[in-house]
Amino acid sequence: AGLRKRGPACQQALACRHCSPQVRELVTKGFKKLESTLSENILQQLPRPGAEMIIREEASDVGLQFIKVLESVLASTVPVVYSGMSCNEKANCTYLFVCGRTVNNLTDLIVAQASAAFELVPHLMVVRETHVTAHNDTVTQDRIHEVPRKVAQADVDALLAFFEVQVVESLNRGSSLKRLLPLADKPVRT
C-alpha cells in the first residue's frame, strides 16, 4: 500500500462503508482467522528465461491472462507492482502480489501469494498495475477487470486492499520491500 501510495485509499476501502455483509465480515475478522496461506519469494538478478518461468509458475493459480500482464515486468527498468485476485467456482480466492523490474536483462522480483476460502462470488478476476517512476510517483490502473455484475466495486476494492495490506505487512516484516524499493531511486545504467 505504501509503495503504491494507496494508504488512504486502502484505509477507505477497508472501512467497508458500502461493502456487502460478507466482505465486511471478512475484512473485520482478519486474515489469520481464515483458512488461509501466505508465501513470499525474493528473487534477484534472474536472467530472462528464469524470470519468465517464475512469472508463469506464480501466475498460473490466478489465471492465464495475468501471465501476459506480468510479462511487462521484463521490460520495465523502474519497479512495477501488480496485484491480482481471482476466485474460483468453489469460492477459493487467490491473491498474487508481484513487484519487479529488469535492468541489463536481469530481473529482480518480489512475489507473494495469499489464498483464502470465503464465500463471495465465483469467477472473479481483477489485476491492478502500478508503475513507480524515478521520482517515486505512481500511476495505478486495473488491467483486467472481470467481475460478475452482482459484486459491487466497493467489495472488489475492499478485498484487494485487504489482501494487499496482509501481503505488504508480511513483506515489510521481512524487509523484502525495502530491498527492492531503493532501486527506484538509483539511476539505471543500460
Side-chain angles (χ1 to χ4, degrees), residues 8-79:
C10 280
Q11 292 308 316
Q12 184 176 359
L14 290 172
C16 247
R17 288 189 185 92
H18 304 288
C19 294
S20 67
Q22 297 96 328
V23 172
R24 187 174 296 112
E25 181 183 352
L26 169 71
V27 169
T28 56
K29 231 185 205 184
F31 191 71
K32 291 179 180 144
K33 294 182 182 176
L34 293 170
E35 185 179 317
S36 60
T37 62
L38 177 60
S39 64
E40 59 186 68
N41 284 312
I42 304 137
L43 306 154
Q44 295 183 306
Q45 298 194 335
L46 293 170
R48 186 176 183 100
E52 288 173 342
M53 183 186 75
I54 296 295
I55 287 170
R56 275 193 306 277
E57 273 180 32
E58 296 291 345
S60 65
D61 288 341
V62 178
L64 294 176
Q65 298 147 303
F66 198 13
I67 294 170
K68 296 284 184 215
V69 172
L70 283 177
E71 287 176 350
S72 67
V73 166
L74 301 172
S76 180
T77 58
V78 295

Side-chain angles (χ1 to χ4, degrees), residues 14 24 47 49 64 76 78 82 95 108 122 146 173 180 186:
L14 290 172
R24 187 174 296 112
L64 294 176
S76 180
V78 295
Y82 291 96
Y95 174 86
D108 294 329
E146 296 176 9
R173 280 192 296 275
L180 188 61
K186 292 181 182 176

Side-chain angles (χ1 to χ4, degrees), residues 14 26-27 30-31 34 157-167:
L14 290 172
L26 169 71
V27 169
F31 191 71
L34 293 170
D157 290 341
L159 287 170
L160 280 169
F162 171 75
F163 278 112
E164 185 170 308
V165 166
Q166 304 309 311
V167 165

Side-chain angles (χ1 to χ4, degrees), residues 71-190:
E71 287 176 350
S72 67
V73 166
L74 301 172
S76 180
T77 58
V78 295
V80 182
V81 179
Y82 291 96
S83 57
M85 180 180 65
S86 68
C87 300
N88 67 18
E89 62 281 344
K90 295 178 182 174
N92 292 318
C93 295
T94 300
Y95 174 86
L96 183 64
F97 173 93
V98 177
C99 179
R101 77 174 201 156
T102 299
V103 177
N104 298 328
N105 294 317
L106 296 174
T107 302
D108 294 329
L109 289 173
I110 295 174
V111 180
Q113 187 168 6
S115 61
F118 57 90
E119 223 170 288
L120 177 64
V121 66
H123 309 295
L124 175 134
M125 177 180 277
V126 177
V127 176
R128 193 160 280 169
E129 173 185 74
T130 301
H131 287 269
V132 181
T133 69
H135 303 292
N136 280 335
D137 295 323
T138 61
V139 178
T140 299
Q141 67 178 353
D142 284 355
R143 290 282 302 267
I144 299 172
H145 194 88
E146 296 176 9
V147 179
R149 273 188 225 139
K150 60 184 174 181
V151 178
Q153 185 63 40
D155 285 348
V156 171
D157 290 341
L159 287 170
L160 280 169
F162 171 75
F163 278 112
E164 185 170 308
V165 166
Q166 304 309 311
V167 165
V168 170
E169 284 178 359
S170 174
L171 290 169
N172 278 335
R173 280 192 296 275
S175 72
S176 303
L177 285 177
K178 293 175 188 138
R179 283 194 251 169
L180 188 61
L181 282 179
L183 296 177
D185 296 328
K186 292 181 182 176
V188 175
R189 293 189 185 114
T190 55

